[in-house]
Amino acid sequence: MEIRVKNVSKFYDSEGKRIEALVDVDLVIPSNRIFTLLGPSGCGKTTLLRCIVGLESPDTGEIAIGDEVVFSAEKGIFVPPDRRGLGMVFQTYAIWPHMNVFDNVAYPLQARSEPKGEIERKVARALRFVQLDGFEKRPATKLSGGQQQRVALARALVAEPKVILFDEPLSNLDAKLREETRKELRRFLTELKITAVYVTHDQIEALALSDAIAVMRNGRIVEMGTPREIYFDSDRQFVADFIGHANFIPGTVAAAGEKATIVDSAIGPIACARKTGAAPGQAATVCIRPEFIRVLSEGRGGGENVFRGTVESLVFVGDAFEGEIRVGETLLIFRIDSTAAVREGEEIALQFDPRHCSILMN
Amino acid sequence: MQKTSTALTPGLIAIVGFLTLCPVVMLILGSFSGELGAFGAFTLEKYVAAYTDPAFAEILVSTVIFTLGSALVATGLALFLAYLNTRTNIPGKFIFGVISLIPMMVPHILFAVSWVLLLNPSNGMINLFLRQLGLEGAALNIYSLTGMILVEGLLDLPIAYLVVAPAMSAFDVALEESSRVCGASNARTLIRVTLPVLRPAILAALTLVIVRSLASFAVPSVIGMPGRIYVLATHIYSIVATGYAADYGMAAAVGMSALAASITLIVLYRRLTREGEKYVTISSRGYRPSVIDLKGARYPLFAVVVLISFVLIVLPVLVLFYTSLVPYVMTPGAKAFAAMSWRHWATVLKDPVSLLALKNSLYLGIGGATLGIVLSFFVAYVIVKVRSKASGLLESLSFLSFSFPGIVVGIGFMWFFVQTPLYSTIWALLIGYIATYLPYGLRPLTSAFVQIHGHLEESSRVCGGGPLYTMRRIVLPLLVPGIASGWILMATMFVRELSLSVVLSRPGTEVLAVQILRFAEDGLWGRLSALGILMIFISTALVVLANGIAGRLSKKD
Ligand SMILES: Nc1ncnc2c1ncn2[C@@H]1O[C@H](COP(=O)(O)OP(=O)(O)OP(=O)(O)O)[C@@H](O)[C@H]1O
Ligand SMILES: [Mg+2]
């Protein structure tokens, strides 16, 4: 089901100061996709999610889930969370400690007074789905973190909601379990074909899991797109920087050609992917991700975007070398194959592929 | 909920503020007034009289020795037990759970009396026994500062244990392990790493026991007064209890220093525990403290623990029950068995004052605890869930009374109640009890509320449970254990209440503990024991009853 958020703002008063948790958020969350809200801590992700489920009521705007308007400040509509028919996994999992696994999962069905046999059937199916069959009688307090997370997921799924929301569901797990669970979650959600809204501040999680990402900052949505678009073609330095690491080289547009846009920078002219709307003379920043800096083997010069620099530092990180190269006065971070023969202090030639040099207009 | 609670907070602040501040304000005013009849007439006369009394210095010295000594005994034992329980493989760990429950089982006055029965110099059972063996010189005298310190120390052991044990088990084992990795032995690790890290908890336990023993009345009155050893609490008591010449002005003037000392200590205690008092809910990570193998010492140490529990719980009850059956104090033996009868029981059950005391205490226990828990429920709700500046004030107010010595609160309330029709009614006792013991109901309820993380309720709402459904299936079941333990604590405290009652109880409003104190003063040990056993029986019955109801309520889900 599609979720439409129109002009939603939410303010808090805290010790006399007004906190703008959400400012004029406009958003359409497509149906049957995994949609991620990504942003640094305190940017308002949780607040937006809570407004959608109805645990918080915004100060302005309108929220519609499918065809139903569940909130409208203007028309005075507020559908309470228990009538919105959504599923949610909380950051703390919110497993009820006085119930066993079965009762935890059965709760949404019991709240709707479904017949007993039906409840048993659906709970069994949900538990099988999250691979917790046989855990029915286990007290909720005797579960590991990962198991609690899966009980929370089963509980959110059991009533077959059209939309399921997650607030950083993996942040309480350790790194390895987090990675496994992330893959599993992706599989579950793809299988289920439901709308999932997922909140995280972890870029890798967002890139790996989502069909679409909205990046938030200071209560505003700053950019939206597929993971690839966000990663490769971001329009903003904040987004490009927040999503992975990047080199930012300031300069001015020298020429705007058919195939490439040339930017004059401190290290010389750089040929970049064509940027519509860039006119000569404008200030611009070139963004190059460290993995797109290639080291040329000795003797092979030639081609576009070739520069010479000295390797300042080099760290072996297993599958690659990461380090810094000084080109003129500019330090660039780079990442190359661990088989490359490069040494610290060495002077090398490097090349950027113009397709991976994107321009951010200031 | 947010809207109703904004009206709730000021109302609660008014009620709790009255309960905790009224006795303090009245005490201050009273101390400057002189006589009960002359309330409001300013005079310094009573202060001068109280603090120039040549006996006062000696009383202060005794008080300091008594409180410090008890604190050391209680905290030392508590550390020993907590360490064994949380960090070693000692068998029978359930006993430690029982130890922390003791405060609910044997009332302090009965515990003190049972030691008097065993060790008083003229006819204590152990002393009689030693005499029979011809060890005349070995006779022990309980009526001494040492006797008071040991008995009070044992009585305060559970409270020190409750402070020390959680710190001991929350202790980061890695610190110890790294010491052991560095080659230190277990004993060295204990002294160099474990104890210093636990210092805040140890200091907190010491402070708390000092506050408790400063407020203690049972031990100083039953053990101290016969030996002419007076501490502040009994000094105040003797000022108002000397029949025709009761001097409430002077009692208030002396009470001011006890109150000031208590408040200072409790402020210190709060500072010491603020660090460790982070609210804890179920965590997602498992926690496994490393366990030290006691090897050969396992069973000897276990025997020591069993002995401590025996001395704390079984011995007093046995001594009392035995004494209630024999005509006069004698060592157990064939002669004693032949003389046993229910005579003392019959006398007590026909004694109109004892029966009245039974009725009053039962009424105060059940009615008072119920009212008290209702008040605690709302106060805890505001403290935990509303969280505004006003709720912070409410919290400070409601935990303040924890530091007040009962007898001092009693004197303060006395100044208040004589001006009202409540004087010498059971309502005076009820109000005083709730004011003094509010923290007992509040503690379990606030932790119950804290345990209900906001997400637990919200998650129920998202799952389709309406507000009432959420209240019934999530909030109440999670609160029931807190309500039950708060009620039990208050009810058992009220059934045995002594230090406040000793001031506020008048003819017609006698309560059990005061009646027991009268029997002790008159040396009527047989009747005292019979009534005491009845008192323990009532407390236990209330605990079982409340647990049963709570169990049924939380099962119903
Ligand atoms: N109940 C509240 N009262 C006052 N301020 C609040 C409240 N809830 C959130 N805020 C503020 O609103 C802003 C957005 O908070 P929100 O919880 O949505 O952030 P977030 O993006 O989820 O951050 P995180 O990644 O740390 O969870 C923050 O500045 C926060 O301090
Ligand atoms: Mg958040």
Side-chain angles (χ1 to χ4, degrees), chain A residues 40-47 49-50 91 167-168 199-201:
Chain A
S41 183
C43 69
K45 309 174 296 277
T46 300
T47 309
L49 203 68
R50 290 170 61 86
Q91 186 168 7
D167 190 358
E168 313 213 16
V199 161
T200 180
H201 63 259

Side-chain angles (χ1 to χ4, degrees), chain B residues 10-130:
Chain B
L12 288 173
I13 290 181
I15 296 176
V16 176
F18 166 76
L19 287 176
T20 46
L21 296 182
C22 166
V24 178
V25 171
M26 295 308 282
L27 188 79
I28 297 172
L29 293 178
S31 69
F32 289 112
S33 293
E35 307 301 326
L36 272 186
F39 183 70
F42 181 84
T43 169
L44 280 176
E45 188 191 311
K46 295 299 173 185
Y47 277 96
V48 177
Y51 293 99
T52 52
D53 182 355
F56 191 70
E58 195 188 324
I59 290 166
L60 273 189
V61 172
S62 308
T63 308
V64 170
I65 298 177
F66 170 63
T67 51
L68 280 181
S70 321
L72 288 174
V73 171
T75 311
L77 278 174
L79 276 173
F80 171 69
L81 291 177
Y83 188 80
L84 287 182
N85 181 25
T86 54
R87 310 304 312 284
T88 70
N89 63 345
I90 194 155
K93 290 205 171 178
F94 69 93
I95 292 184
F96 295 93
V98 176
I99 288 177
S100 55
L101 287 176
I102 294 169
M104 288 196 251
M105 297 185 181
V106 186
H108 289 194
I109 185 164
L110 295 179
F111 190 78
V113 164
S114 68
W115 283 98
V116 167
L117 291 172
L118 286 172
L119 285 176
N120 81 70
S122 54
N123 61 356
M125 277 182 246
I126 294 180
N127 284 336
L128 287 181
F129 182 67
L130 290 173

Side-chain angles (χ1 to χ4, degrees), chain A residues 102-128:
Chain A
F102 178 89
D103 281 326
N104 263 287
V105 176
Y107 190 91
L109 307 172
Q110 292 166 346
R112 297 194 305 199
S113 321
E114 292 208 4
K116 225 166 158 248
E118 190 73 355
I119 293 180
E120 270 163 29
R121 197 178 56 75
K122 285 185 181 170
V123 170
R125 200 180 57 185
L127 284 178
R128 196 166 339 111

Side-chain angles (χ1 to χ4, degrees), chain A residues 50 53 55 80-82 86-88 90-92 94-99 107-108 110-111 141 144-145 148 155 172, chain B residues 282-285 389 451 453 455-467 469-470 473-475 477-478 557:
Chain A
R50 290 170 61 86
V53 277
L55 292 171
D82 41 303
L86 309 173
M88 175 159 176
F90 288 76
Q91 186 168 7
T92 55
I95 301 295
W96 297 302
H98 59 304
M99 297 181 187
Y107 190 91
Q110 292 166 346
T141 44
S144 74
Q148 286 186 32
R155 182 175 66 190
N172 282 330
Chain B
I282 303 160
S283 89
S284 47
R285 288 217 192 128
K389 275 222 180 72
Q451 209 216 359
H453 189 291
H455 285 175
L456 295 180
E457 281 168 81
E458 290 176 353
S459 161
S460 158
R461 297 299 307 278
V462 177
C463 285
Y469 190 80
T470 303
R473 287 212 51 199
I474 307 295
V475 180
L478 287 172
D557 186 57

